[in-house]
């Protein structure tokens, strides 16, 4: 999948960067990271459905 200029892919990447920032700052990954992981999963499923790739991922 080409992720250039794909707002959904960029949003997913942003979530991973947010988790990395939390780790870098030495902050706990508690509730905020759980929320970010949930958002990543929702966005990945959305993209998979749109691209007819849902059969390729395990949830």
């Amino acid at each position: 999948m080409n992720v250039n200029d794909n707002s959904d892919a960029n949003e997913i990447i942003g979530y991973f960067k947010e988790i990395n920032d939390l780790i870098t700052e030495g902050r706990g990954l508690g509730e905020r990271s759980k929320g970010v992981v949930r958002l990543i999963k929702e966005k990945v499923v959305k993209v998979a459905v749109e691209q007819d790739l849902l059969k390729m991922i395990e949830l």
Side-chain angles (χ1 to χ4, degrees):
M1 179 179 157
N2 184 355
V3 297
N4 293 330
D5 299 321
N6 183 302
S7 63
D8 290 322
N10 289 331
E11 194 171 344
I12 292 167
I13 291 166
Y15 292 139
F16 279 106
K17 287 180 180 177
E18 184 174 342
I19 289 175
N20 184 61
D21 290 345
L22 291 171
I23 293 168
T24 302
E25 293 171 6
R27 295 177 53 194
L29 295 179
E31 291 303 313
R32 179 59 190 152
S33 65
K34 288 179 186 177
V36 172
V37 169
R38 181 183 43 76
L39 292 170
I40 290 170
K41 182 178 177 181
E42 288 172 2
K43 190 60 71 167
V44 166
V45 170
K46 177 183 179 283
V47 170
V49 168
E50 289 173 353
Q51 300 292 322
D52 195 31
L53 301 172
L54 195 57
K55 60 189 167 288
M56 295 177 65
I57 63 173
E58 292 184 29
L59 302 175

